[in-house]
Amino acid sequence: MTNNLRENQRALSRSGRWLQISHMTNGLKTAALLAALSALLLMIGQALGGQTGLVIAFGIAIVMNFGSYWFSDKIVLKMHRAREVGPDHDLHKVTQDLAQRAGLPMPKVYIIPSETPNAFATGRNPSHAAVAATEGILRILSKDELAGVMAHELAHVQHRDILISSVAATVAAAIVMVSRFALFFGGRRDRGVNPIVSIAMIILAPMAAMVIKAAISRAREFAADARGAEIAGRPDGLANALRRMDASMRQRPAPPTAVAQAAEHMYIMKPFSGGGVLKLFSTHPPTDQRIERLMGR
């Protein structure tokens, strides 16, 4: 027991050194990726849709994602048929303890009727947040592992990652809309743009936007892992939980349902796998990389 405690302290110390670097690196990376998304939007909007098309597409995307940001908690919880649990539930007790450690308001706590081990956080800010865990994750994780998972979700709340994701989704959606506008209406022909270049932009710009949006999501996952380990007071709980969930999903992969695909970026673990080039669009880093960073290796 003493050896395990010392190992946890050493791991947390190594993880703590990574924490400050991780916060700065991920913050700069997120800002750079959001800037790249914005630049891509302006470029394709001006080249293919003109200023009017750009403004219309961006306006529609903002309205869509503004609604998603303000009502995302109600929408996603209803999609998952989640039920709220009270103070007597073990998940509520674990979350309350962690929220106090993190200096956060107590979020609402929900259980999702699913055997797939997963969890997510939602809500527009720390005062209007909710965390949810599946029945499956409660069955396979120990108390320390569950604490690591919920600390990760509270880190997302503390970092306001729902806002960051909404901004990224807004710009990416606008890029897709401008591209489709150009595809169906031919874009602007008075700007002397080479037709081949136009076609390439129409096809490649949405793909590039999705790749950048996924990269932003991966950066936020690394940051939430690091902060989650700090909130929990030990990195091995979350590391072991990620390892156990990954093994469970490999044995019994979840089907790519419409609900799972829509909420993919919110989960602590990607619910279904994709290899090869699809990794570019993955919203989550590889599990082994997350564990290595958590344990400071």
Side-chain angles (χ1 to χ4, degrees):
M1 182 69 71
T2 302
N3 290 336
N4 289 338
L5 180 59
R6 288 175 179 172
E7 177 58 30
N8 283 329
Q9 289 174 340
R10 285 194 293 267
L12 187 59
S13 177
R14 292 193 298 267
S15 181
R17 289 193 294 271
W18 276 98
L19 183 62
Q20 186 174 4
I21 299 173
S22 177
H23 280 323
M24 183 177 297
T25 301
N26 284 304
L28 291 173
K29 184 176 181 180
T30 299
L33 289 169
L34 286 172
L37 267 179
S38 301
L40 183 60
L41 171 62
L42 293 174
M43 181 180 67
I44 190 172
Q46 286 295 104
L48 301 179
Q51 186 174 1
T52 301
L54 173 62
V55 171
I56 292 174
F58 192 59
I60 293 173
I62 287 177
V63 170
M64 289 172 55
N65 287 281
F66 179 82
S68 176
Y69 173 64
W70 278 90
F71 302 107
S72 63
D73 53 345
K74 297 180 178 63
I75 294 171
V76 74
L77 291 169
K78 188 173 183 179
M79 284 170 54
H80 287 84
R81 297 180 289 117
R83 61 181 177 84
E84 188 174 0
V85 296
D88 293 335
H89 197 283
D90 288 342
L91 182 62
H92 192 285
K93 293 176 182 177
V94 169
T95 304
Q96 186 173 34
D97 178 59
L98 293 168
Q100 290 174 351
R101 292 190 202 180
L104 287 169
M106 179 61 190
K108 293 182 178 180
V109 182
Y110 290 83
I111 300 292
I112 299 169
S114 171
E115 287 303 313
T116 301
N118 231 319
F120 64 79
T122 186
R124 62 183 182 271
N125 57 44
S127 298
H128 299 84
V131 293
T134 64
E135 293 175 346
I137 204 173
L138 297 179
R139 288 194 176 94
I140 70 169
L141 298 188
S142 69
K143 184 176 180 180
D144 288 338
E145 291 166 351
L146 183 61
V149 168
M150 301 316 292
H152 169 100
E153 298 307 331
L154 290 175
H156 277 308
V157 173
Q158 194 167 54
H159 292 166
R160 296 177 182 266
D161 284 335
I162 303 301
L163 174 60
I164 294 172
S165 297
S166 296
V167 171
T170 297
V171 182
I175 291 171
V176 173
M177 286 181 181
V178 171
S179 299
R180 288 178 178 174
F181 177 85
L183 179 63
F184 288 107
F185 297 99
R188 292 188 59 176
R189 296 181 174 83
D190 60 347
R191 299 188 64 85
V193 179
N194 187 307
I196 296 178
V197 174
S198 296
I199 293 173
M201 291 181 69
I202 290 170
I203 296 172
L204 296 178
M207 294 178 61
M210 295 302 105
V211 169
I212 294 172
K213 188 179 77 167
I216 291 173
S217 179
R218 292 194 294 271
R220 304 320 301 162
E221 288 301 317
F222 278 131
D225 284 347
R227 175 57 180 154
E230 189 178 57
I231 293 171
R234 51 190 295 179
D236 63 322
L238 178 54
N240 290 335
L242 292 173
R243 189 179 293 110
R244 195 181 297 273
M245 285 189 288
D246 185 69
S248 176
M249 290 183 184
R250 289 179 186 276
Q251 293 174 0
R252 296 174 55 188
T257 63
V259 172
Q261 289 176 325
E264 176 187 349
H265 65 286
M266 300 178 65
Y267 297 127
I268 187 172
M269 180 77 67
K270 186 176 179 179
F272 39 83
S273 61
V277 72
L278 292 179
K279 290 183 179 180
L280 290 173
F281 301 95
S282 177
T283 53
H284 292 68
T287 303
D288 56 348
Q289 289 185 15
R290 297 174 70 177
I291 292 172
E292 287 175 2
R293 289 202 185 191
L294 274 167
M295 302 309 293
R297 292 196 292 266

